[in-house]
Amino acid sequence: MTVVGKAGSSQDNGPASLQDMRRRNLALVLCAVAEHSPLSRADVAGRVGLTRAAVSSLVDELIGRGAVTEAAATASGRVGRPGRALAVSGEGPAGLGLEVGVTHLGACVVDLRGDPRVWRRVERANAGRPAGQVLAEVAALAAEAEAEAATLGLRVQGRILAVPGVVPNESGAVVERAPNLGWQGVRLADHWPDPDTVPEPENEANLGALAEYWNTEQTAETFVHVSAETGVGAALVIEGRLFRGARGFAGELGHIPVHPDGPDCACGARGCLEQYAGEAAVLREAGLAQHGPARAALAEPGDPVSLLAEHAGAGHAPTLAALDRAGRALGLALTSAVDLIDPDSLVLGGAYAELAEWLLPSVRAELADRVTVRPWAPEALRPSALGRRGPVLGAAQTTIRRIMADPTLLPAG
C-alpha cells in the first residue's frame, strides 16, 4: 500500500539553492520508485527526466539513507547490461502513529511503503482521567510498538498523536481543548517521559480524513470526512489539501446546532449534533446505557459500537429508532456542509462507518429533502473502508508522507 499516489508533495516553484534542488530531485526519484517499482536506474532516469549519472548519484544517496533497496542484476531481454531492480525499502525508516480516544488507546507503525506492520489497541476509559496518567500509558504503548517494529527491522523516524480535540496551528505540541477527555491546554512535553520521543499532536478527524485520501482510490479531491466516538468530528479536504481554518479550529461539526432549543451540550451551547448523533446519545436513546458517561455506564458489557451493531442487526426496535434519529440529525448538519462547501462526496468514518448499514438510509433521506440548490446523488455519501483505524493509520502515514516529500529528513548512511 504505497501512500504517494495522491496529493503528492507540494513544491515551491521559486528560486532554489543547489541543496534545495537536490532535495527535490531526491523526492522525485523516491516517488518514482514508490509508484512504479520495480525499476532500474535507467528506467528512473527516463521517467523523471534527469541524466543517468544524476539519477545514479541520487539513488546511491537514497540507498545510504535506507529509503531504497537495489536487487541483484537480472537479465531484462534488452540490449546492454542487465538492470538492477530498485524498490522502496520495507525495512529501515518507519512512522509511528498514536491515538488517545475517549474509550481507547492505539498505536500503529507503518513502513516507508505505507504498509501497517504493527497494530496496538487497548480499551481504556480516558474521560476525566489526568492527562499525565493517560499520556504515560500512551508512551508505554508507543515503546511496545517501537520494540516490536525493531524486531521487523524498522526504526521510527517520527511520531504523531491523534487526539479528539483542538490542536491550533503552530501550537507547539499543545492540545488546547479536548472536552470529551476533560483536557484544557495540555502541553505534551510536560507529561511525556522521554523528551526525545514527544509526539506531535493532531486532531483525530483530520488524520482520519488524510488516511481516507491516501488509501482509498475512490476518494474525491474535495470531500467532508465525518466520524464519531463520544464526540462528532469532521475534516475538510479541499482540492487534495486538508483545510484547517485560520487557527486550526475547522471541522467542529459536532457542535453545529441541529435543534437550537435542544439539550445542553458540554461545549456550553444547546442542541448540538453530538447530543443526537454522538455515541452517548445513541446508547441512551437505544436503552443500552444508564444516564452518565457512555462507557462507564453501559447497561450491557462490551464495546459500545459493536453493541449497537449487534442490537441493530438483531432488529432491536429502540436501537433502530436511535440510529434513525442520529442519522437524521447527522443529515441535517451535513446539509449545511454540502451547501457551504460544495464537496464531491461525504465520507462516514470511525464508528459511523461500522454503523453505516443503519445510518445511511436516514442520512440520505435528509440530504435528499434538504439539498436543493445543487445536484446531489445518494452515492456521494459512503462509508469509509478504514473504519476506526483511520486516525491512527493517518498519524503513522503522516511521517511517511513527509519523508517522501523530503528524503533528507532521514539520517545519511
Side-chain angles (χ1 to χ4, degrees), residues 82-411:
R84 304 177 66 187
L86 300 168
V88 173
S89 177
E91 298 183 355
L96 172 63
L98 301 167
E99 184 177 15
V100 174
V102 176
T103 60
H104 72 279
L105 304 175
C108 173
V109 178
V110 301
D111 60 26
L112 199 56
R113 298 170 301 191
D115 293 332
R117 305 288 295 279
V118 177
W119 288 104
R120 289 279 195 281
R121 183 182 171 95
V122 179
E123 300 301 314
R124 288 285 190 277
N126 295 317
R129 295 173 64 205
Q133 183 180 1
V134 174
L135 290 171
E137 293 182 8
V138 178
L141 191 65
E144 290 179 14
E146 289 199 43
E148 182 178 347
T151 68
L152 301 174
L154 298 169
R155 60 178 186 276
V156 169
Q157 297 294 322
R159 301 161 183 84
I160 308 293
L161 174 66
V163 292
V166 176
V167 180
N169 298 339
E170 309 299 331
S171 71
V174 174
V175 179
E176 181 167 312
R177 182 171 57 88
N180 290 317
L181 290 174
W183 290 11
Q184 189 82 23
V186 174
R187 185 173 179 269
L188 267 57
D190 292 341
H191 305 284
W192 203 260
D194 182 357
D196 294 329
T197 63
V198 178
E200 174 187 337
E202 176 58 278
N203 175 265
E204 55 86 20
N206 287 346
L207 291 168
L210 290 173
E212 186 72 20
Y213 187 64
W214 294 334
N215 295 280
T216 307
E217 288 300 323
Q218 61 180 320
T219 303
E221 293 291 304
T222 297
F223 67 98
V224 178
H225 181 277
V226 57
S227 58
E229 194 184 49
T230 298
V232 178
L236 316 178
V237 175
I238 299 176
E239 295 182 352
R241 294 177 179 272
L242 182 67
F243 178 76
R244 299 175 180 275
R247 297 176 180 83
F249 285 60
E252 289 293 316
L253 187 77
H255 298 292
I256 287 180
V258 292
H259 297 292
D261 296 327
D264 293 339
C265 181
C267 73
R270 298 181 63 186
C272 295
L273 176 63
E274 282 187 8
Q275 299 307 305
Y276 298 88
E279 179 185 283
V282 178
L283 286 166
R284 185 173 58 250
E285 287 294 311
L288 299 178
Q290 309 300 328
H291 295 293
R295 174 55 62 92
L298 278 175
E300 300 181 29
D303 168 50
V305 178
S306 299
L307 194 64
L308 287 166
E310 178 184 344
H311 279 69
H316 184 241
T319 299
L320 293 173
L323 289 170
D324 178 73
R325 174 179 181 262
R328 290 194 174 276
L330 184 57
L332 182 60
L334 288 174
T335 296
S336 300
V338 170
D339 286 341
L340 182 64
I341 301 161
D342 188 29
D344 296 310
S345 63
L346 302 171
V347 180
L348 299 185
Y352 286 155
E354 297 182 26
L355 298 170
E357 178 181 345
W358 303 282
L359 288 171
L360 283 175
S362 52
V363 179
R364 283 176 171 156
E366 201 72 25
L367 288 167
D369 287 345
R370 295 181 179 277
V371 178
T372 59
V373 297
R374 54 152 284 176
W376 182 258
E379 59 271 19
L381 170 71
R382 63 172 183 81
S384 168
L386 300 177
R388 286 185 277 178
R389 284 188 164 188
V392 73
L393 179 61
Q397 289 183 339
T398 294
T399 293
I400 302 307
R401 300 287 297 194
R402 291 173 178 174
I403 291 171
M404 300 301 292
D406 182 4
T408 64
L409 294 173
L410 297 174

Side-chain angles (χ1 to χ4, degrees), residues 33 37-41 59 63 68-75 82-89:
V33 173
S37 64
L39 298 175
S40 68
R41 297 185 185 216
V59 166
I63 291 173
V68 166
T69 60
E70 190 170 34
T74 56
R84 304 177 66 187
L86 300 168
V88 173
S89 177

